[in-house]
Amino acid sequence: MALESKSFTVARLASIPNIGLTMAHGGSGVERAAGIPISVERKGRFPELHGGEIVLTSGLHIGEDWTAWKSFLLAATGAGASGLIIGLGTEAAFESLPEQVQTLASEHDLPLLTGDIADFGRIAHTITVLHSEGQRESFRRPLDLQMEITAIVARGGSFGDLLAGWQQRTEEPVAAYDRLGQVMARSSSFPASLLAPLGKRLAGQEAPRLGEQLRLNATELAADPDGTSASPEGTVEISPFAGNDTVRGFCVRITTGHETAELAAPALRSLLALEFERVWFLDESARRKRAERFARLLTLTEPGSARTFLRSIGIDSGPLWGVSIEARNETHAEVLIDDLAVVLAAPFVRHRHRIVECLATVDPRQALADYGLRVPTGIGTRGAPEHSARSIRQATLALETSRRAGTPIEYVDGASHEFLINTAPSDYLESFSSAVLAPIEKSRGGEALLNTLHTWLLERRSVEATAERMGVHRHTVRNRMQRIVQITGHDLDGIDAQTELWLALKVRGFRDTRDSPDGP
């Protein structure tokens, strides 16, 4: 097996002290991997090589036949020799290297070294030892890498942690896709421009089967028709990983060609498959247990009890996001149960018919964007475990808005009126707004009255702050507010009246615009 070029090359061989070798011709081949030594001391057919061997010869079987030397060097090059060592001395063909041989080595671009023929035994032994050490190192490096990435998973690392660890140790950007071509995770340097093109291919008929690999040119894969952005470079290698002889997903690497990474890549795929089976592909009992734990956590509203419960099941008591998703159908909901367990690192997930709910331990916005979910999705606010029920309720409200908006919606604290407005039918909202605000609008100076009412509510019912913001006298504000009370018949000190007027103004399009004060 060939070694990585940096481990043991012809150039390094020539630089070893006390070995007695001199570089007569280097050329472009000096960085070739130097293989085991082989002695060639007979005429006739050149022996078959495995590739990369260092050929040693005294030249006695050739002598000063320069045509034979030309054939010899041509045969050595064609057989894949990494270099040629010619022994010099009284017992060899030459005591000094003939210029003709050096010229032929240059013509064939074959690295040529010379040494004392009396030291050939020691030279061959030294090369063999160094080659063996290099082979041991070439096997040790991928073994160390396998142990390091295995430790990431053993410590409870997620898909993202595993891929980040691989990139850190190999400098290879890497991503993992599910069997449907959706992104599960990617390392930080994996180009975002490749995500969609790769997903499209994997979702189609180009996905490789078990035992196959697909290699693509990154530049062509992410080609920008406008030429406005730089395209990634390198070879993209797509390999499936499996569980129970079934493709579960795909490991996508932008390869460096380093032997260590190539030898350790099967271990990476195995770990992805194992992690998939452990976390992502849930059986019915695991799903039921997660749903039961989910329901239990939602009942725990005290910090101590919620965090004690999490620790009792081996889960970190960090913040959680509530997520509510409406699947396309119940089959899709079943798939999402499995997928979200990994995509959102969600220890709590359940579904009721088409609605899938989970508590995510990672920010779901970017993760769901990479995953490519195209169904109504609501996201609650980030909160401590004891606030999980609140975050789920918020996610449910946001889901209602997402159905109407056609995009994932994140709940924002203090903006529940926006969800109510976006959820209600537009004709109902128009009727509601007209019924509440029409008496004010139709009265004399109705526009100024509405602006004053909106500003007064924004300024927490402060006459002085309203007057300052609008640039009018405070008596003007008082007079307008008294007129509104007379027109509507509302007691504006009551929270119900304030809420009704506030919602009606929001429906009508009033917003907090501080750039320019409202006119009188």
Side-chain angles (χ1 to χ4, degrees):
M1 182 178 298
L3 301 174
E4 291 185 64
S5 60
K6 65 180 181 180
S7 59
F8 185 52
T9 65
V10 176
R12 181 185 166 192
L13 173 62
S15 65
I16 296 174
N18 302 321
I19 194 174
L21 290 176
T22 300
M23 181 73 74
H25 170 73
S28 61
V30 292
E31 294 304 325
R32 295 173 187 163
I36 61 174
I38 180 172
S39 178
V40 179
E41 296 289 357
R42 60 182 175 83
K43 295 182 179 180
R45 184 178 178 182
F46 197 89
E48 183 177 346
L49 304 181
H50 295 287
E53 288 92 337
I54 289 283
V55 176
L56 289 82
T57 185
S58 66
L60 288 172
H61 64 295
I62 305 176
E64 295 185 359
D65 185 344
W66 311 126
T67 300
W69 272 107
K70 181 176 181 178
S71 299
F72 183 82
L73 267 65
L74 181 62
T77 303
S82 59
L84 173 65
I85 301 176
I86 296 179
L88 303 176
T90 56
E91 298 180 2
F94 311 108
E95 293 192 27
S96 62
L97 182 67
E99 182 179 346
Q100 292 90 333
V101 175
Q102 187 169 353
T103 300
L104 288 171
S106 177
E107 290 176 357
H108 291 83
D109 199 22
L110 179 68
L112 176 62
L113 300 92
T114 60
D116 193 325
I117 189 65
D119 293 332
F120 256 30
R122 182 172 59 85
I123 292 172
H125 175 74
T126 301
I127 296 173
T128 301
V129 170
L130 291 171
H131 183 267
S132 298
E133 290 177 351
Q135 281 194 317
R136 284 196 297 270
E137 179 68 12
S138 72
F139 284 111
R140 185 188 63 78
R141 282 192 297 269
L143 179 60
D144 289 346
L145 176 56
Q146 291 178 38
M147 294 174 65
E148 289 171 2
I149 60 176
T150 301
I152 293 172
V153 175
R155 290 194 297 266
S158 65
F159 266 82
D161 295 329
L162 176 59
L163 299 184
W166 176 268
Q167 176 182 292
Q168 180 183 7
R169 291 159 177 81
T170 66
E171 300 181 351
E172 284 189 351
V174 62
Y177 283 75
D178 71 4
R179 59 194 179 279
L180 301 178
Q182 304 289 349
V183 179
M184 292 193 295
R186 61 177 169 126
S187 64
S188 60
S189 66
F190 193 91
S193 59
L194 293 180
L195 295 178
L198 282 167
K200 183 177 180 180
R201 287 173 180 261
L202 293 175
Q205 301 299 317
E206 294 188 50
R209 299 178 182 180
L210 286 180
E212 298 178 345
Q213 288 183 333
L214 178 63
R215 289 181 173 83
L216 303 169
N217 183 290
T219 303
E220 296 177 359
L221 186 65
D224 180 5
D226 299 327
T228 57
S229 59
S231 296
E233 297 180 354
T235 298
V236 178
E237 180 187 278
I238 306 172
S239 303
F241 59 84
N244 296 327
D245 297 325
T246 302
V247 173
R248 298 302 186 197
F250 301 92
C251 176
V252 182
R253 300 162 46 217
I254 300 181
T255 59
T256 60
H258 292 165
E259 187 183 33
T260 296
E262 295 301 324
L263 291 174
L268 173 63
R269 296 193 292 272
S270 295
L271 289 171
L272 287 171
L274 288 172
E275 188 66 4
F276 181 101
E277 296 291 342
R278 185 179 71 83
V279 180
W280 191 47
F281 191 64
L282 304 176
D283 58 25
E284 189 57 37
S285 62
R287 293 183 182 187
R288 186 166 54 250
K289 180 178 290 186
R290 288 200 174 191
E292 291 170 354
R293 288 175 172 177
F294 195 135
R296 170 65 175 156
L297 180 59
L298 296 185
T299 67
L300 303 177
T301 57
E302 296 295 327
S305 59
R307 297 179 188 191
T308 298
F309 172 67
L310 290 178
R311 285 195 295 270
S312 72
I313 58 177
I315 296 174
D316 179 55
S317 58
L320 299 170
W321 285 264
V323 179
S324 184
I325 299 172
E326 185 177 61
R328 291 187 291 272
N329 48 52
E330 290 199 35
T331 300
H332 185 218
E334 293 282 342
V335 173
L336 285 177
I337 286 286
D338 295 336
D339 291 4
L340 296 180
V342 165
V343 172
L344 299 181
F348 304 100
V349 59
R350 66 184 181 186
H351 84 96
R352 292 172 291 182
H353 305 295
R354 291 169 56 195
I355 304 301
V356 178
E357 296 177 326
C358 71
L359 289 165
T361 61
V362 300
D363 190 336
R365 293 168 296 185
Q366 183 61 50
L368 289 176
D370 281 350
Y371 180 69
L373 198 61
R374 299 291 186 268
V375 294
T377 302
I379 301 171
T381 56
R382 177 178 182 265
E386 60 270 21
H387 298 145
S388 295
R390 174 173 176 265
S391 188
I392 285 292
R393 288 194 297 270
Q394 293 171 340
T396 301
L397 282 172
L399 177 62
E400 293 293 331
T401 305
S402 178
R403 289 191 183 105
R404 293 178 56 82
T407 186
I409 296 295
E410 182 181 2
Y411 187 95
V412 179
D413 273 330
S416 58
H417 54 273
E418 298 289 352
F419 289 100
L420 295 174
I421 291 170
N422 289 324
T423 302
S426 58
D427 55 349
Y428 170 80
L429 290 172
E430 183 61 33
S431 299
F432 163 74
S433 176
S434 296
V436 174
L437 300 180
I440 303 174
E441 288 180 303
K442 293 178 179 179
S443 65
R444 181 173 55 85
E447 183 178 353
L449 292 177
L450 288 179
N451 287 333
T452 302
L453 173 61
H454 180 241
T455 306
W456 181 75
L457 290 170
L458 281 175
E459 296 294 348
R460 302 171 184 256
R461 302 169 301 284
S462 169
V463 171
E464 288 75 12
T466 301
E468 181 179 353
R469 180 167 178 174
M470 297 187 69
V472 300
H473 197 279
R474 61 181 179 276
H475 292 318
T476 302
V477 175
R478 287 196 183 95
N479 291 337
R480 290 177 180 176
M481 297 307 300
Q482 288 173 0
R483 285 191 60 199
I484 291 171
V485 171
Q486 294 169 355
I487 293 168
T488 63
H490 284 311
D491 177 7
L492 296 187
D493 289 333
I495 189 63
D496 288 339
Q498 293 172 13
T499 301
E500 184 178 75
L501 290 166
W502 178 251
L503 285 174
L505 288 167
K506 285 291 182 182
V507 170
R508 192 55 58 88
F510 281 81
R511 294 292 184 269
D512 182 7
T513 54
R514 296 179 179 270
D515 295 337
S516 58
D518 295 320

